[in-house]
Amino acid sequence: MKKRILALLLASAMVLSLAACGGSKTDDKTDGTPAATEEAGSKEAGDTALADKKVGVCIYQFADNFMTLFRTELENYLVAQGFSKENIKIMDGANDQATQSGQIDAFIAEGVDVLIINPVNSSSAATITDKVVAAGIPLVYINREPAAEEEQRWADNNWNVCYVGCDARQSGTYQGEIIADMGLEKIDLNGNGKVDYIMIEGDPENVDAQYRTEFSIKALKDAGLEVNCLDDQVGMWDQVKGQELVGNALSQHGNEIEVVFCNNDAMALGALQAIQTAGRTVGKDIFLVGVDALTEVVEDVIEGTVSGTVFNDHFSQAHGAADAAIKYVKGETNEHYIGCDYVKVTSENAQEILDMIK
Ligand code: GAL
């Protein structure tokens, strides 16, 4: 209840926009009606027609901080809407498409009523779609957006297949803007008139990594800044890899590095460890940005040890995916693309974001 009251008290425009795209915990239903779980006891308040429906969920990898938040919220929300916990099966693809494909086959054989899939390889989406559609099961993709041609097939064939997620271009743009808004004078510590940066990328299989890499730098250029890339490495969304790569880059380029862009917060946490080990201080002689708004990173933004992050709204995405699945189960249709907004997180709004996510 405390969190719900807190959320209600947050009056800024940013928070209003979050609420508009559903950015709140399971205990606030998306339509703004009171929490099923808290006010009435979950099952009775949920839709009884859903209690015996089976949901199969495939997550690309459980060992991913952000996807752990996502799947926890997804499960809680599905239960709050009326599904029985025992009828929601969530599988770990262990970052292996063959493993995940086997899990999808098993769900098809079991005859689940709807599938929610976070593909290991977005490029396998067409194969996945074909077999799920052939089995007559509606399908909601999450987090790793399939290619435009694949999405077009769903529309052309009028299939019950959709994607729920945010546009990663926006998150990249926000990262760039956080840095650009500081002004060249503050960032350009070596005085060469350029933003000297390193980029730590997520899994290239995920369009989020490609877009964040591209659009963060585009935002700097659009703000009229000259840029200089000192290093660009793939850290696979992983904290340990992030630490290793940033550690290497710092030993190689030392004080020349002014900004560290990480495609996600897990890698930014690793980067921060490497930065501190190298005796550098974020906000003073180096700047660091991530994406996701993991609790730890938002706390770091408040303390000033991370320059900023971007909230990857797992509440909206989880609720949106569950709502789409429910519509399919009830025989209704969905738009094929269901989007949501990212939110820029700086020292100015970090406390509000923290109160909401914690
Ligand atoms: C991104 C997120 C990353 C990682 C990835 C997995 O949206 O920012 O932290 O979870 O999805 O596909």
Side-chain angles (χ1 to χ4, degrees), residues 60-61 64-68 70 118-120 142-144 163 168 171 202-203 206 208-209 212 236-237 263-267 291-292 294 310 312 317 342:
Y60 95 97
Q61 170 164 241
D64 176 303
N65 311 32
F66 173 73
M67 286 315 300
T68 300
F70 195 134
N118 166 211
V120 174
I142 53 169
N143 178 256
R144 296 186 155 190
Y163 172 74
S171 53
D203 182 352
N206 186 338
D208 289 7
R212 288 175 193 165
M236 298 300 286
W237 306 122
N263 281 175
N264 78 341
D265 277 356
M267 298 190 295
V291 175
D292 280 340
L294 297 181
V310 180
N312 190 1
Q317 292 173 74
Y342 284 98

Side-chain angles (χ1 to χ4, degrees), residues 193-228:
K194 298 177 188 167
V195 178
D196 299 287
Y197 71 92
I198 62 168
M199 180 69 67
I200 306 298
E201 299 192 29
D203 182 352
E205 251 298 326
N206 186 338
V207 76
D208 289 7
Q210 300 158 26
Y211 279 153
R212 288 175 193 165
T213 299
E214 182 186 343
F215 282 78
S216 52
I217 302 311
K218 182 177 181 298
L220 291 181
K221 292 183 187 160
D222 288 349
L225 297 169
E226 237 187 286
V227 297
N228 177 33

Side-chain angles (χ1 to χ4, degrees), residues 79-348:
V79 171
Q81 301 312 300
F83 288 93
S84 305
K85 201 170 167 149
E86 57 275 17
N87 286 338
I88 305 165
K89 259 196 215 159
I90 309 185
M91 305 304 289
D92 180 2
N95 206 16
D96 179 63
Q97 189 56 58
T99 302
Q100 184 176 70
S101 298
Q103 293 164 346
I104 295 169
D105 291 342
F107 277 137
I108 291 174
E110 192 188 330
V112 293
D113 294 286
V114 63
L115 274 165
I116 299 177
I117 298 181
N118 166 211
V120 174
N121 295 338
S122 311
S123 47
S124 298
T127 314
I128 297 172
T129 303
D130 284 342
K131 62 178 164 187
V132 174
V133 166
I137 299 171
L139 169 58
V140 179
Y141 281 107
I142 53 169
N143 178 256
R144 296 186 155 190
E145 187 175 357
E149 313 83 72
E150 169 59 6
E151 294 187 354
Q152 192 55 48
R153 272 187 345 126
W154 313 338
D156 292 346
N157 293 289
N158 222 0
W159 286 334
N160 282 339
V161 181
C162 67
Y163 172 74
V164 178
C166 306
D167 183 347
R169 283 172 279 219
Q170 189 184 38
S171 53
T173 302
Y174 284 168
Q175 284 190 296
E177 286 176 0
I178 289 170
I179 296 300
D181 285 351
M182 292 177 179
L184 184 64
E185 224 165 87
K186 186 166 178 191
I187 311 160
D188 186 19
L189 296 152
N190 63 12
N192 67 354
K194 298 177 188 167
V195 178
D196 299 287
Y197 71 92
I198 62 168
M199 180 69 67
I200 306 298
E201 299 192 29
D203 182 352
E205 251 298 326
N206 186 338
V207 76
D208 289 7
Q210 300 158 26
Y211 279 153
R212 288 175 193 165
T213 299
E214 182 186 343
F215 282 78
S216 52
I217 302 311
K218 182 177 181 298
L220 291 181
K221 292 183 187 160
D222 288 349
L225 297 169
E226 237 187 286
V227 297
N228 177 33
C229 179
L230 292 168
D231 204 354
D232 188 332
Q233 300 285 341
V234 172
M236 298 300 286
W237 306 122
D238 183 71
Q239 178 166 349
V240 175
K241 289 206 181 78
Q243 179 177 9
E244 214 176 276
L245 294 171
V246 175
N248 292 344
L250 285 167
S251 344
Q252 202 185 333
H253 302 285
N255 290 343
E256 290 306 303
I257 301 176
E258 294 162 342
V259 180
V260 180
F261 283 100
C262 294
N263 281 175
N264 78 341
D265 277 356
M267 298 190 295
L269 284 171
L272 178 58
Q273 290 170 296
I275 287 168
Q276 289 171 338
T277 305
R280 305 277 294 273
T281 309
V282 172
K284 217 174 113 206
D285 57 26
I286 195 161
F287 302 92
L288 170 64
V289 280
V291 175
D292 280 340
L294 297 181
T295 302
E296 237 180 303
V297 173
V298 179
E299 284 166 353
D300 286 335
V301 173
I302 292 169
E303 278 169 32
T305 47
V306 169
S307 313
T309 183
V310 180
F311 178 41
N312 190 1
D313 190 346
H314 58 280
F315 300 118
S316 278
Q317 292 173 74
H319 299 185
D323 289 340
I326 289 169
K327 282 177 103 181
Y328 282 146
V329 165
K330 289 183 169 174
E332 297 166 29
T333 55
N334 287 292
E335 296 291 328
H336 294 288
Y337 181 92
I338 300 169
C340 78
D341 278 318
Y342 284 98
V343 181
K344 210 184 276 187
V345 183
T346 64
S347 55
E348 279 171 31

Side-chain angles (χ1 to χ4, degrees), residues 18-81:
L18 275 175
C21 74
S24 61
K25 289 195 167 186
T26 299
D27 54 16
D28 285 311
K29 289 172 84 179
T30 40
D31 60 4
T33 54
T37 39
E38 288 180 9
E39 254 92 48
S42 58
K43 290 272 173 60
E44 300 80 43
D47 189 336
T48 47
L50 299 174
D52 63 345
K53 300 294 183 196
K54 290 185 181 165
V55 190
V57 182
C58 293
I59 300 296
Y60 95 97
Q61 170 164 241
F62 278 10
D64 176 303
N65 311 32
F66 173 73
M67 286 315 300
T68 300
L69 295 173
F70 195 134
R71 77 183 142 94
T72 307
E73 183 61 25
L74 179 63
E75 184 176 27
N76 291 343
Y77 185 81
L78 284 167
V79 171
Q81 301 312 300

